[in-house]
Amino acid sequence: MSSPSATLTRPADTESVVVEKSVVTTDPAKYRRAAQYAGSLAWKVTKPTVAIAVFLVLWEIAPRLGLVDEVFLPPLSTVLGSLVDLITSGQLADHLGASLSRALVGFSIALLVAIPLGVAIGWYRPVAEVLNPILELFRNTAALALLPVFVLILGIGETSKIALVIYASTFPILLNTISGVRTVDPLLVKSARSLGLPSYRLFQKVILPAAVPTIFTGIRMAAASSVLVLIAAEMVGAKAGLGYLITASQLNFQIPAMYAGIIAISLVGLTFNGILVTIERRLSRWRPER
C-alpha cells in the first residue's frame, strides 16, 4: 500500500527540485548581467570625465607649484571664484544674453536658408549647375576675413555681427545637406518610386530621414562656428557680449575674469552641442545604436 503513495508524490517532489534548481541556476546569471551592465554604464560615465578631471587638477596645482606664472594663469579655484562673482553681480547674464541673442538669430536664419537650398542643389542638377560656381567662390573665403567688409557695409552695430554669424553658419549646413541628399541609397529611392510615392512624399519619407545624420553633422559644425565667429566679432567692436567681456578683462588686467569668460564660452558650446545631439537622436531613431 505504501508504494502507490510513494509513486504519487514523486512527480511533485521532482518538480519542486527542478524549480529550485532553475531558480538557483538563473539568479546568479541575472546578477552577473546586472553587474556587468552597471559596470559598463559606470565606465561610460566615468571615461569621458577622466581627461577633464586631470586637466582641471593640473590647472589648479601648476600655478601653485610655480610651474607657470600665477599672474598670467591663476589657479582654477581663483577663476571659479571670479566666475561666481560675475554671476552674482549680473554681468555674466548681461554679456551671455547679448551673445546668445546674436548667435541664435544668425544661426536660425542660416538654418532656414541653408537646408532648403542644400536640398535643391543636391537633388536638382540645373540648380547645382547654376549655383556651384558662386558656392565654390564663397565657401573658401573665411568668415573673419570678411569682418571688415560687413562692418563697412552694415555698420558696427548688431546687424554686422548677425550677418557674420549667418555667413559662418550657412556653409557647413549647406555643404553637408548637399552631401546628405546626394548620398542617399539609390535603392531606397527606386523602391519608394516603385510604390508610387509623389515627390513631396519621397522627400518626407525617404530623402530627408536618410540625410538627417549628415545634415546634423553640418548643423553641429555651424553651431560651433557661429559662437566662435561671434566672439571674435565682439572682440573687435561691441559694448556687450562674451567676446567683449574677455577683451575688456584683458585690457583691465582682470585675468581671472578673462578666464571665467572663456569657461562660459566653453559651457555654451557644450550646451549647444548637447541639445543638437539630443534632437538628432530623436529624429533618427530608426538608426541602430552604436
Side-chain angles (χ1 to χ4, degrees), residues 190-253:
K190 290 180 180 178
S191 300
R193 283 177 172 168
S194 66
L195 294 173
L197 285 181
S199 297
Y200 72 94
R201 296 289 289 176
L202 179 65
F203 276 105
Q204 180 185 3
K205 295 295 184 180
V206 178
I207 303 299
L208 291 180
V212 159
T214 307
I215 293 173
F216 263 88
T217 300
I219 291 175
R220 291 166 62 186
M221 294 171 59
S225 298
S226 65
V227 174
L228 295 177
V229 169
L230 177 62
I231 297 304
E234 290 175 345
M235 289 180 176
V236 175
K239 294 183 179 179
L242 294 176
Y244 170 79
L245 172 64
I246 293 172
T247 303
S249 300
Q250 179 195 17
L251 294 176
N252 294 324
F253 212 72

Side-chain angles (χ1 to χ4, degrees), residues 7-21:
T7 57
L8 290 175
T9 56
R10 278 175 190 166
D13 294 339
T14 55
E15 287 180 3
S16 62
V17 172
V18 171
V19 172
E20 290 177 358
K21 286 184 177 180

